[in-house]
Amino acid sequence: MYMVYWTQTAHGVNTPHAREFHSDEMRAAMHFMEKLRVRQRAGEGISFVALSSENPHSVGHAGVAETGAGYAWKKRRP
């Protein structure tokens, strides 16, 4: 799944927006972002155009996990 986020500024007020795209619509999400950027370059109050993705079939939790007490990896330096 993909989400496109952007901010529109009108009369000094920033308004956040988001639009969802299904997992098979990455191309559509990229085209939508480019349309927003074209409007931004034309002088419209659009900023913070960003794409985020999340795999709904992920087997683990997103983020960083702590290692266990027995984990002792060290980088070998010459």
Side-chain angles (χ1 to χ4, degrees), residues 39-53:
R39 291 171 53 193
Q40 182 183 38
R41 288 189 293 268
E44 285 191 47
I46 295 175
S47 59
F48 298 104
V49 179
L51 173 75
S52 181
S53 65

Side-chain angles (χ1 to χ4, degrees), residues 72-78:
W73 182 87
K74 293 189 183 351
K75 182 175 181 178
R76 189 175 128 187
R77 299 186 186 255

Side-chain angles (χ1 to χ4, degrees), residues 6-17 35-49:
W6 72 99
T7 299
Q8 283 187 271
T9 304
H11 309 291
V13 177
N14 293 333
T15 307
H17 295 276
K35 287 180 183 179
L36 289 171
R37 289 186 176 123
V38 166
R39 291 171 53 193
Q40 182 183 38
R41 288 189 293 268
E44 285 191 47
I46 295 175
S47 59
F48 298 104
V49 179

